[in-house]
Amino acid sequence: MNHKEFESKIKRVLISEEEIHNRIREVGSQVSQAYDGKPLLLVSILKGAYVFLADFSRAVSCPHKIAFMCAKSYYENTSSAGVVNITMDLDIDISGYHVLIIEDIIDTGRTLKNVLNLLKARNPQSIKVITLLDKPERRKVELEADISLFTIPDHFVIGYGLDCAEYYRNLPYIAEYDET
Ligand code: IMP
Ligand code: MG
């Protein structure tokens, strides 16, 4: 793929770089106030959330640690949460921490539901979910983020960490992908 082909699939910018950073500053300062003085751990699910985590972590001024995990979900039927396969686990014992899961997008909700149940079983002091994007129309399992930065309609989106076949993660904004 060359640059021209790459650009031809970017239909339109849905959320600009500036809008993303403004919301991150807002939520980052809420979190900084709420968790100051508490042991805080930001957990990011790879790969999609790596850009969001990098910016969000720098918008949180209170002391905190970060950790990563990689998860894949499998399900028996279309409405079940199925089972989650952890392909890379956290390198830290989360009991004793207030955990914030930092996610790129909640679509059907399956991945996050599984990860949330798994992490709850490890007895963190508390656990909440912050998602950059939420596509509520697509939900297959009951799950809501504690904080969602943007709610979007049912479009396939790319950029700011989100991919299409592993490309487009490097776009600094969120765009609609041209599926034609
Ligand atoms: P869920 O288990 O269906 O909620 O899956 C969420 C995962 O699917 C996200 O972490 C993304 O990696 C991927 N995903 C869902 N919707 C999109 C999209 O519009 N663009 C890119 N990736 C997406
Ligand atoms: Mg993906």
Side-chain angles (χ1 to χ4, degrees), residues 18-174:
E18 196 191 351
E19 287 175 283
I20 296 171
H21 288 127
N22 287 343
R23 273 296 276 153
I24 287 181
R25 264 198 299 277
E26 222 173 271
V27 176
S29 93
Q30 284 171 23
V31 164
S32 310
Q33 283 179 21
Y35 290 91
D36 190 29
K38 297 177 179 168
L40 175 62
L41 178 69
L42 307 185
V43 168
S44 171
I45 306 165
L46 293 172
K47 299 177 207 171
Y50 78 106
V51 178
F52 180 35
L53 178 80
D55 284 341
F56 187 74
S57 169
R58 286 177 292 175
V60 173
S61 57
C62 71
H64 62 275
K65 300 182 183 179
I66 62 164
F68 296 96
M69 68 190 295
C70 226
K72 286 204 162 46
S73 296
Y74 299 94
Y75 12 84
E76 297 86 56
N77 63 62
T78 51
S79 60
S80 76
V83 288
V84 67
N85 182 12
I86 304 300
T87 54
M88 185 190 85
D89 206 344
L90 300 172
D91 60 357
I92 186 165
D93 175 1
I94 64 169
S95 64
Y97 286 95
H98 292 274
V99 173
L100 284 179
I101 300 181
I102 306 299
E103 182 55 311
D104 54 348
I105 186 165
I106 308 179
D107 188 36
T108 65
R110 285 177 175 129
T111 311
L112 199 53
K113 181 133 194 162
N114 280 318
V115 168
L116 198 56
N117 288 340
L118 186 102
L119 295 186
K120 276 180 183 166
R122 296 181 183 176
N123 296 315
Q125 284 207 35
S126 71
I127 185 157
K128 287 193 173 178
V129 174
I130 298 183
T131 188
L132 175 68
L133 304 174
D134 188 6
K135 271 198 233 177
E137 286 169 43
R138 295 254 312 163
R139 206 72 93 249
K140 287 276 195 290
V141 294
E142 209 173 300
L143 180 90
E144 263 188 71
D146 294 280
I147 298 176
S148 164
L149 275 65
F150 301 95
T151 299
I152 60 166
D154 181 13
H155 291 141
F156 194 81
V157 293
I158 48 172
Y160 201 74
L162 289 131
D163 72 303
C164 180
E166 296 300 325
Y167 285 114
Y168 298 100
R169 295 191 196 275
N170 58 318
L171 297 178
Y173 48 80
I174 306 280

